[in-house]
Amino acid sequence: MSATLLAVALSLVSAVAYATAAVAQERLAARLTDGGPRVLRLLGSGAWWASVGLNASAALLHVAALKYGPLTLVQPLGALTLVAAVPLGARLAGRRVTRLEWRGTGLTLIGLGTLLLTASGPAPDDTLSLPEALTVAAVTAAAIGVLSRRGARPGLRHATASGFASGVASALTQTVTVAATDASGPLLSARVVVVALLVAAFAVGGLFLSQTAYRGGLGAPLAVVTLANPVAASAIGVALLGERLRGGAGGVFLAAAGAALAAYGVVLLTRTPRGPAPAPGSLPSIPGQPEAAEAVAGEALPARRG
């Protein structure tokens, strides 16, 4: 299997794991709308820890994908998280996927396929220097602070901040994986250690920001997270890592058309109807995560309307 195909395969499995975790987070967020310190209640929730485990598994798969594929290839595939979350969320809500949702799924996949035609490239070999990584982290932290300022209503602002945090974490992760596996340098250089700590900080921050955003529902916040993530990572890849789209001007036009089509598909997917959750015990088990499904079933309440 070529490096590009391996990166795509790892990204697909990662997207499914992220989708399962997002659905669990959203259903838990609907329950934790009132009462008690929110962080403490999350830490005491088995369902939340199950979603953290799924997120961690997805992140490891994503790290592996970044070892074999460039940011401009791996990050757009993150949109498949939304595609997978829609039918899974519908199933857990006890309803069928609508025709509009299938249409959005199809358009998103076609748009992503178009993007992949121009983004496919060799395995990454360039990395951020320590000053570059610190600058990226500082700018991102400032943007997140503005978007998630104290008192802001949970929703798309927090989702955008979560997407930026996750996208930057991915870009920094690529630097860690490439630098740490470079035979010409030390395994644990100062740069690798510092950037790894930044990755952990942004990953955890993105997780809590998304949990906050999902208090307003799953569709629109997850769509914004899904779009903001590759925008942030790809901007770093193009501006600082020398990544380019294939095909010259024609490739740029094709990528823009694919991005527009995928964005339209994502917009359709945000119009997800919300219904009551089925009774505990009626949910299907999650492959490889029976405890997670049981926890979600035991803790989820009907989604809020309005």
Side-chain angles (χ1 to χ4, degrees):
M1 181 182 292
S2 69
T4 297
L5 289 178
L6 183 57
V8 170
L10 291 169
S11 297
L12 293 178
V13 181
S14 174
V16 173
Y18 273 129
T20 306
V23 172
Q25 283 183 271
E26 187 270 339
R27 294 173 72 78
L28 182 60
R31 181 177 185 265
L32 300 181
T33 53
D34 300 298
R38 193 172 306 279
V39 172
L40 293 180
R41 298 180 71 198
L42 286 175
L43 294 177
S45 167
W48 187 77
W49 282 110
S51 72
V52 169
L54 285 168
N55 267 306
S57 299
L60 289 175
L61 291 166
H62 187 72
V63 168
L66 287 170
K67 170 61 181 172
Y68 297 104
L71 284 167
T72 49
L73 167 67
V74 173
Q75 291 307 118
L77 286 170
L80 292 176
T81 296
L82 184 61
V83 175
V86 168
L88 179 59
R91 178 68 183 92
L92 294 181
R95 64 174 180 81
R96 294 184 176 181
V97 180
T98 66
R99 181 178 299 180
L100 183 66
E101 290 172 318
W102 283 126
R103 182 183 175 193
T105 299
L107 291 175
T108 302
L109 289 174
I110 294 172
L112 283 171
T114 304
L115 275 173
L116 292 179
L117 290 176
T118 61
S120 300
D125 56 9
D126 201 2
T127 60
L128 296 173
S129 65
L130 184 55
E132 287 175 335
L134 291 174
T135 300
V136 167
V139 172
T140 305
I144 290 174
V146 171
L147 289 169
S148 58
R149 65 183 184 278
R150 187 175 182 83
R153 181 180 178 182
L156 300 187
R157 286 177 177 266
H158 290 82
T160 303
S162 175
F164 284 168
S166 301
V168 170
S170 293
L172 296 176
T173 296
Q174 187 176 76
T175 287
V176 171
T177 56
V178 173
T181 57
D182 184 2
S184 63
L187 178 62
L188 293 178
S189 64
R191 178 179 60 152
V192 170
V193 173
V194 171
V195 176
L197 292 174
L198 292 175
V199 169
F202 281 115
V204 173
L207 177 64
F208 279 101
L209 286 166
S210 65
Q211 181 69 65
T212 300
Y214 295 153
R215 287 163 57 190
L218 178 65
L222 181 56
V224 172
V225 171
T226 301
L227 290 176
N229 184 312
V231 166
S234 296
I236 294 172
V238 171
L240 299 176
L241 297 176
E243 297 184 3
R244 295 290 182 270
L245 297 176
R246 297 191 306 175
V252 173
F253 176 79
L254 191 62
L261 192 60
Y264 180 60
V266 167
V267 169
L268 295 181
L269 287 172
T270 64
R271 302 171 184 174
T272 304
R274 306 186 66 189
S282 63
L283 301 183
S285 62
I286 301 174
Q289 293 287 337
E291 297 84 4
E294 182 178 344
V296 173
E299 298 199 47
L301 292 183
R304 292 178 294 129
R305 296 179 180 274

